[in-house]
């Protein structure tokens, strides 16, 4: 993320500051590098972004009323384009079951068009930021070499949204729409990628989360349950409850998708439900 003289824990309403934009480069290569990351302004901005959204979602359903700005509409158009490209790039016949090579063709389209897609979203006076922000967009959809997708790619999409806040494309009153509209649509496109191209989970250990592909919807989704009068963690493994309420709660929609994957591919053991009973709502 571009260096900027801004306070720690920036929110979607941060004021613009003079910045020098540059294409991001990998800086975390070894375990000790994590310390540098955690002391950085980018880490403070990123965590502030995630927690600010988490606070805004407390107790709210997906169908609640909220503002949908022009920028949010542009982001939905961007995601619709990615979705359309999947339809235009069907899987190819190949001997291996996972990692369909047609994904690389799909990714190639994004690689070529990402900067133009971002330029259509950000303010005209921030056009110099397009190349930097586009890197996070490209990193958010999976790896074209391994043909896999995981929580690190999801984190890149959150960084992409955070960058849009930093340059003023997204504002404070976009908080609900950022998650309920944009991020939720991103999830549907990523699920379509995973199913269409049989993408493998990236770096999965099988027991570190509720599923191998997503992490943030369980954080933000649990915030929706704060002070809920009836739904409790024990209900998350009740298929009837999941089917009845998944349209209102991101967390349950993720569980529904996991159930569908297990029904279609019963031999897959990536998803572990034992820990569901111990899940508690995340309160910032």
């Amino acid at each position: 993320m571009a260096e900027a003289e801004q306070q720690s824990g920036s929110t979607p309403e941060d004021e613009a500051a003079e910045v020098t934009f540059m294409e991001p480069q990998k800086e975390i290569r070894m375990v000790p590098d994590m310390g540098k990351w955690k002391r950085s302004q980018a880490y403070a901005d990123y965590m502030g972004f995630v927690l600010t959204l988490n606070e805004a979602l407390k107790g709210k359903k997906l169908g609640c009323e909220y503002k949908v700005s022009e920028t949010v509409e542009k982001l939905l158009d961007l995601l619709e384009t990615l979705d359309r490209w999947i339809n235009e790039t069907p899987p190819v016949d190949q001997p291996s079951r996972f990692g369909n090579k047609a994904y690389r063709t799909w990714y190639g389209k994004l690689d070529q068009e990402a900067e133009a897609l971002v330029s259509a979203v950000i303010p005209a006076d921030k056009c110099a930021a397009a190349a930097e922000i586009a890197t996070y967009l490209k990193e958010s959809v999976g790896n074209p070499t391994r043909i896999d997708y995981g929580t690190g790619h999801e984190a890149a999409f959150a960084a992409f949204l955070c960058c849009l806040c930093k340059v003023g494309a997204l504002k404070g009153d976009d908080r609900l729409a950022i998650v309920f509209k944009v991020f939720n649509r991103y999830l549907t496109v990523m699920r379509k990628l995973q199913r269409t191209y049989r993408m493998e989970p990236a770096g999965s250990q099988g027991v570190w989360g509720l599923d191998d592909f997503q992490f943030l919807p369980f954080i933000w989704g649990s915030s929706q349950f704060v002070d809920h009068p009836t739904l409790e963690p024990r209900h998350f493994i009740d298929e009837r409850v999941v089917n009845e309420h998944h349209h209102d709660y991101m967390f349950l929609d993720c569980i529904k998708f996991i159930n569908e994957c297990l029904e279609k591919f019963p031999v897959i053991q990536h998803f572990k439900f034992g820990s569901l009973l111990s899940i508690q709502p995340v309160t910032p």
Side-chain angles (χ1 to χ4, degrees):
M1 190 177 301
E3 296 180 358
E5 294 182 0
Q6 295 191 317
Q7 296 181 353
S8 298
S10 63
T11 69
E13 206 168 20
D14 283 334
E15 295 181 359
E18 289 189 9
V19 294
T20 300
F21 298 106
M22 64 188 72
E23 291 193 38
Q25 297 181 7
K26 187 171 183 178
E27 295 287 347
I28 303 174
R29 301 180 183 278
M30 302 178 65
V31 173
D33 294 332
M34 287 297 296
K36 181 171 64 174
W37 157 240
K38 290 183 177 180
R39 292 189 299 271
S40 70
Q41 181 65 51
Y43 178 82
D45 290 342
Y46 184 82
M47 292 302 298
F49 173 76
V50 171
L51 293 176
T52 295
L53 293 180
N54 201 57
E55 179 68 24
L57 304 176
K58 287 175 62 174
K60 293 183 174 62
K61 295 182 178 181
L62 288 169
C64 71
E65 293 187 5
Y66 50 83
K67 175 187 174 182
V68 178
S69 66
E70 181 180 357
T71 298
V72 168
E73 293 286 5
K74 289 179 179 179
L75 285 169
L76 295 176
D77 289 341
L78 184 157
L79 291 168
E80 182 63 31
T81 297
L82 301 188
D83 192 313
R84 174 170 51 81
W85 287 347
I86 299 174
N87 296 335
E88 296 171 354
T89 316
V92 298
D93 291 331
Q94 63 179 48
S96 58
R97 179 179 179 185
F98 293 103
N100 194 278
K101 294 178 181 179
Y103 170 79
R104 292 172 180 158
T105 302
W106 179 90
Y107 184 89
K109 295 180 182 180
L110 176 59
D111 191 36
Q112 291 180 347
E113 301 294 334
E115 192 169 336
L117 291 172
V118 170
S119 295
V121 173
I122 62 178
D125 62 346
K126 294 295 190 300
C127 62
E132 177 174 340
I133 299 175
T135 300
Y136 293 105
L137 176 62
K138 290 186 288 185
E139 287 288 327
S140 74
V141 298
N143 184 281
T145 301
R146 300 186 303 268
I147 313 182
D148 62 10
Y149 173 92
T151 53
H153 302 109
E154 177 191 67
F157 190 74
F160 166 70
L161 295 174
C162 183
C163 287
L164 294 179
C165 293
K166 295 281 287 182
V167 299
L170 292 169
K171 308 293 184 181
D173 53 4
D174 288 319
R175 287 185 179 97
L176 290 179
I178 287 172
V179 179
F180 288 168
K181 277 285 188 183
V182 179
F183 186 78
N184 213 30
R185 181 67 176 110
Y186 164 77
L187 288 179
T188 64
V189 176
M190 294 306 102
R191 290 167 182 165
K192 188 172 180 177
L193 278 177
Q194 293 158 23
R195 290 192 301 260
T196 302
Y197 303 118
R198 297 292 184 89
M199 301 178 74
E200 296 197 65
S204 170
Q205 298 298 313
V207 295
W208 288 358
L210 296 182
D211 74 54
D212 283 344
F213 294 108
Q214 312 299 156
F215 189 76
L216 282 173
F218 294 101
I219 295 178
W220 289 334
S222 66
S223 186
Q224 291 183 268
F225 288 121
V226 171
D227 296 327
H228 196 285
T230 58
L231 291 179
E232 301 175 1
R234 61 188 175 89
H235 293 124
F236 299 159
I237 55 175
D238 185 325
E239 188 173 359
R240 180 189 60 81
V241 173
V242 171
N243 290 336
E244 182 178 346
H245 295 284
H246 75 97
H247 292 297
D248 292 323
Y249 298 100
M250 184 178 298
F251 192 114
L252 295 183
D253 196 49
C254 287
I255 299 300
K256 185 174 186 296
F257 180 67
I258 292 172
N259 287 337
E260 291 172 351
C261 289
L262 289 173
E263 289 175 2
K264 189 171 183 180
F265 306 106
V267 297
I268 295 177
Q269 297 299 319
H270 293 309
F271 308 112
K272 311 295 182 181
F273 284 91
S275 61
L276 276 173
L277 295 177
S278 63
I279 295 293
Q280 297 295 330
V282 174
T283 303

